[in-house]
Amino acid sequence: MALLATCLTDTFFPSTARAVVRLLERLGCEVAFPLDQTCCGQMHFNTGYRNDAESLARKYTEVFSGYDHVVAPSGSCAGMVREIYPEMGVSAGPMYELSEFVVDVLGVTDVGAWFPHRVTYHPTCHSLRMLGVGDKPLRLLRAVRGLELVELPAATSCCGFGGTFAIKNAETSTAMLTDKMKCVLDTGAEVLSAGDNSCLMHIGGGLSRLRAGVRPVHLAEILASTEEEPWAHATP
């Protein structure tokens, strides 16, 4: 299988990509990281640059052809490849968001993780509404030893990021973020997790400005964490 790290993760959160590799190799996968990979084109497509998006989609098929599976630690980018590429006439092959690959393809819910923290989970819009991952991330988190999972109020409400939406509609985005942060703080969680670093960046940025003491951690980093890897529990 191959890892599509996504451009945002590769640039700002490389620890997530490394965690995906650690996790999947521990589960018996042979993971490749094609060095020629680039942006999936979602930003271009969403802002009306369809020709540029199609060019990136064709680049994706060149880079990832020949692999049995492609996995991304992002429901948003996985959704772009799986749902939007065909609308542009580009055949992308098998693409999975991380949690659905682990649960549906590998058939695993207990990945042998250990993460002794109080955690709440934000289900991102694309993973829920475009990919339909359902409760797969929650099933994985419930099996993590030492983890206390607390329900997030109004969990399915958007955090307000939406890529360029947060830039074009900053006031609306900020209002949505404020509502989401209140829900996170109401849980009393130490850690906010999600399957997309874009949403974690948005919510985590707001929480850091409040000095709320809640740490954003991608789902992959929790699932990759074990007692033998104490680096996973260090507070930045």
Side-chain angles (χ1 to χ4, degrees), residues 10-177:
D10 184 59
T11 303
F12 296 111
F13 306 100
S15 61
T16 296
R18 292 194 292 268
V20 174
V21 175
R22 278 187 172 88
L23 170 65
L24 295 182
E25 287 184 342
R26 194 170 77 222
L27 295 176
C29 297
E30 182 180 347
V31 184
F33 181 76
L35 295 179
D36 290 338
Q37 63 180 280
T38 184
C39 179
C40 69
Q42 179 183 186
M43 178 178 66
H44 309 72
F45 183 83
N46 289 346
T47 49
Y49 293 90
R50 186 184 177 100
N51 290 340
D52 294 309
E54 289 179 356
S55 176
L56 288 166
R58 289 191 293 271
K59 173 69 173 178
Y60 171 93
T61 60
E62 292 173 9
V63 171
F64 288 98
S65 63
Y67 292 101
D68 296 325
H69 306 283
V70 181
V71 175
S74 165
S76 141
C77 297
M80 177 67 185
V81 173
R82 200 162 83 198
E83 303 296 327
I84 304 302
Y85 279 15
E87 293 182 12
M88 297 191 295
V90 177
S91 177
M95 157 59 75
Y96 298 90
E97 181 269 342
L98 177 63
S99 71
E100 61 180 0
F101 179 76
V102 173
V103 174
D104 292 343
V105 179
L106 300 183
V108 176
T109 52
D110 186 346
V111 300
W114 179 76
F115 193 79
H117 299 283
R118 183 178 172 91
V119 177
T120 194
Y121 183 80
H122 166 63
T124 62
C125 292
H126 281 87
S127 67
L128 275 182
R129 298 174 175 89
M130 182 176 279
L131 296 179
V133 302
D135 68 344
K136 295 179 182 69
L138 297 176
R139 290 162 62 187
L140 291 165
L141 288 172
R142 290 187 189 113
V144 175
R145 288 180 299 119
L147 187 148
E148 179 187 356
L149 183 63
V150 290
E151 183 177 354
L152 179 65
T156 59
S157 296
C158 178
C159 71
F161 180 64
T164 54
F165 173 85
I167 299 171
K168 295 179 178 179
N169 304 276
E171 291 183 358
T172 303
S173 172
T174 300
M176 296 169 73
L177 171 62

